[in-house]
Amino acid sequence: METKAEEILKALKIEEDVLAIFPYGSRVYGTATESSDHDYIIVTKGAFLKGGGFRQNAISSSDWKIQGVLFSRSGFIDAINNYEMGPLECLFLDPSHIVLSKWPFKIQKWDEKEMINKVIQKVSASWHIASEQSKGGWKDRAKKGIFHALRILMFGIQLKENQKIVDFTEANELKAEIDRLPDDMFDDRVYLSLRDELMTKLRGK
């Protein structure tokens, strides 16, 4: 019988040696529905992927039920050290939720100021894209983008206060609030004050 790790790798047609398989997304946050995909971050043993890169986004099974982001070992380490939130989340999962772990990935050097700068850069870029989508009528995409940016800020504050993420469910009530809004009634400007409040708390001002 195939292990869960083997099933995931077979479904995603990954043949490289793998060091880690981490769940991420709605099933980690506790917001998944029966129709939600199973999302994974997968880290290969090699310093580079077969194609020569460090990362491959949006790989999926033939039925689209399993989605993945594939990192080379060096690509994943670089993402951690650049405080990318997705890879950072992997480090603080409950061990019982991790599908495969053969390597003790960790933040090699904690720099709070750098972490704060990276989080704010990411949030600012994501917010700009979501705001433009909202103006262009892509309200469903804008809702996801605004929520994603706010959750990153919340997790960034947890990292500042604890040097780890301690509550993956923190933003769930906010997600439910945004999801309840009809797309045509969504206005990203409503959430500017919350964004600014969270940024101020993250900066410590």
Side-chain angles (χ1 to χ4, degrees):
M1 181 180 291
E2 290 181 326
T3 65
K4 185 174 182 179
E6 289 170 338
E7 290 176 0
I8 293 167
L9 297 176
K10 182 177 179 181
L12 296 177
K13 298 179 181 179
I14 296 171
E15 298 178 351
E16 292 113 309
D17 290 335
V18 168
L19 292 176
I21 302 176
F22 302 104
Y24 79 101
S26 62
R27 294 184 183 276
V28 170
Y29 308 140
T31 57
T33 65
E34 289 186 3
S35 62
S36 294
D37 301 329
H38 290 266
D39 299 303
Y40 298 97
I41 286 178
I42 301 160
V43 187
T44 67
K45 184 177 181 180
F48 297 92
L49 300 178
K50 278 188 175 181
F54 296 105
R55 176 188 317 202
Q56 183 179 353
N57 293 320
I59 59 175
S60 63
S61 60
S62 57
D63 60 5
W64 300 95
K65 292 182 179 179
I66 299 176
Q67 306 286 330
V69 177
L70 186 64
F71 284 89
S72 69
R73 172 174 44 83
S74 56
F76 189 67
I77 291 171
D78 185 65
I80 291 170
N81 291 331
N82 278 286
Y83 303 101
E84 292 189 30
M85 196 57 70
L88 281 177
E89 290 175 25
C90 297
L91 305 186
F92 307 113
L93 289 169
D94 184 318
S96 66
H97 295 163
I98 297 173
V99 178
L100 180 69
S101 179
K102 296 181 179 179
W103 190 273
F105 291 107
K106 61 182 180 180
I107 300 171
Q108 295 176 332
K109 183 181 179 182
W110 178 255
D111 185 329
E112 182 179 292
K113 183 177 180 180
E114 181 68 9
M115 182 276 292
I116 291 169
N117 288 338
K118 293 289 187 181
V119 167
I120 288 176
Q121 287 172 17
K122 176 62 177 178
V123 167
S124 297
S126 297
W127 198 279
H128 174 73
I129 291 170
S131 181
E132 291 300 308
Q133 289 171 334
S134 183
K135 292 174 185 175
W138 298 96
K139 297 286 188 174
D140 55 338
R141 298 182 186 180
K143 287 167 68 174
K144 291 179 181 178
I146 293 300
F147 168 70
H148 179 65
L150 293 169
R151 183 177 60 211
I152 289 175
L153 280 172
M154 291 179 179
F155 284 3
I157 291 168
Q158 290 189 39
L159 285 168
K160 178 184 177 181
E161 294 177 346
N162 307 285
Q163 292 192 13
K164 63 180 180 179
I165 296 169
V166 297
D167 182 7
F168 284 93
T169 70
E170 181 181 10
N172 289 3
E173 289 186 11
L174 175 63
K175 184 179 190 304
E177 173 191 314
I178 292 175
D179 285 348
R180 282 194 296 268
L181 282 173
D183 289 352
D184 60 358
M185 293 181 62
F186 178 74
D187 185 343
D188 58 284
R189 293 172 295 180
V190 171
Y191 294 93
L192 282 171
S193 60
L194 176 58
R195 182 200 67 182
D196 293 346
E197 176 187 332
L198 292 171
M199 281 192 172
T200 298
K201 187 173 181 179
L202 180 61
R203 290 188 178 109
K205 298 178 180 179

